[in-house]
Amino acid sequence: MSNPIIIGNWKTNPDELKTAKKFISNLDEKLAKEKLGKFKYMLAVPDVFISELSKLSKGKIGSQNISGTKLGQETGLSTSSQAKSAGATFTLIGHSEVRKRGETIEERKIKLESSLKSKLITVLCIGEKERDSSGKYLSDLDRDLKETLSQIDSQLASNLMIAYEPIWAIGGENSATPAECFEVIINIRRGLYEILGEKNAKDIQILYGGTVNKDNAKSFIAEGGANGLLVGRSSQDVKAFFEIICSCN
Ligand code: PGA
């Protein structure tokens, strides 16, 4: 298996472009010293920083959301091709914080199609709000995955990644356990096979996100079946993010 994919989600951090640039040069310097210089982390940054940061960190910078709108008269939105031309190589789609602001499944489908057609690596986030003892969350997640991917051209799936992010574990104190993560990842993998067929689904990487830190990061990969991680708060501090990367290598 190749190196796990570690994606940082900076959300609305940091405050200034110069701090963001300093973060990346510090991180690359630390990784080079550990001989992890070629390690490919990815960072989902505020859109306004994409252009400058992608010059510093080729191939690693992405967007946290794109709009599904076509060129035209929509105030305050950027399209997948605009993100790509600014230097983004990937985008998150359907993060729970975006869903909370009212993103519908129809919008998500349009974003997904637009992003995949622009050849951005497209990280679709899914996760349950809460768990129930009857396992309904598993069928709800399966339905969400299948509805969102229902119209996707399976040929474009080579650029698709899934991030399993249980909403109850985002921004809190407790992550999922590796066993809880494993159960859902197996289900997601099964769903992907059903929708896209084995050939297109088998190499899709499935990440875990939700209160990942240096102490639990490795367990989601070693025991939880994840191919990588989507990290929020711990990616916003260079030392914490560096320690996560080291712990997984
Ligand atoms: P967290 O956020 O790591 O701070 O829980 C994860 C995310 O929102 O992607």
Side-chain angles (χ1 to χ4, degrees), residues 14-215:
D15 206 20
E16 292 185 54
L17 178 60
K18 71 170 190 276
T19 316
K21 285 181 162 175
K22 207 160 143 208
F23 181 111
I24 289 180
S25 32
N26 278 350
L27 179 63
D28 286 346
E29 218 171 89
K30 282 170 173 292
L31 292 172
K33 272 196 200 133
E34 289 297 311
K35 306 225 182 327
L36 291 170
K38 292 210 166 70
F39 179 85
K40 198 172 168 211
Y41 62 85
M42 289 153 80
L43 285 173
V45 305
D47 277 359
V48 287
F49 292 165
I50 290 176
S51 181
E52 284 293 315
L53 296 185
S54 61
K55 287 183 211 151
L56 252 186
S57 196
K58 282 220 163 10
K60 298 173 184 165
I61 301 300
S63 178
Q64 299 168 15
N65 186 22
I66 47 134
S67 109
T69 45
K70 307 228 161 31
L71 297 183
Q73 311 303 317
E74 289 286 353
T75 303
L77 300 174
S78 311
T79 66
S80 53
S81 51
Q82 287 162 346
K84 187 161 183 193
S85 72
T89 53
F90 77 98
T91 185
L92 308 182
I93 285 187
H95 189 281
S96 67
E97 286 154 10
V98 177
R99 293 185 188 218
K100 213 158 96 189
R101 293 200 295 268
E103 182 192 66
T104 64
I105 195 148
E106 287 312 315
E107 284 165 342
R108 212 142 49 237
K109 280 157 95 167
I110 296 170
K111 290 178 180 187
L112 196 76
E113 189 189 351
S114 151
S115 166
L116 288 171
K117 281 197 174 144
S118 301
K119 300 214 165 14
L120 286 174
I121 296 169
T122 303
V123 185
L124 173 67
C125 305
I126 65 165
E128 75 280 6
K129 270 207 187 84
E130 55 194 14
R131 289 200 166 206
D132 55 286
S133 53
S134 63
K136 185 174 167 297
Y137 63 95
L138 287 175
S139 43
D140 289 349
L141 283 175
D142 195 50
R143 190 169 348 97
D144 185 12
L145 183 74
K146 287 183 176 158
E147 269 182 51
T148 312
L149 296 181
S150 59
Q151 282 153 17
I152 114 167
D153 174 352
S154 49
Q155 309 287 322
L156 299 177
S158 56
N159 275 325
L160 180 68
M161 279 187 207
I162 308 290
Y164 167 52
E165 293 213 305
I167 296 170
W168 50 267
I170 295 177
E173 284 174 19
N174 298 316
S175 65
T177 63
E180 287 170 333
C181 171
F182 189 71
E183 178 195 44
V184 176
I185 285 189
I186 296 288
N187 265 272
I188 293 175
R189 179 76 63 204
R190 189 181 305 132
L192 291 172
Y193 272 55
E194 283 168 21
I195 311 160
L196 301 167
E198 181 182 343
K199 186 167 151 276
N200 297 312
K202 70 178 173 15
D203 295 326
I204 294 179
Q205 278 150 322
I206 306 177
L207 319 180
Y208 168 80
T211 309
V212 172
N213 55 47
K214 70 172 171 26
D215 300 319

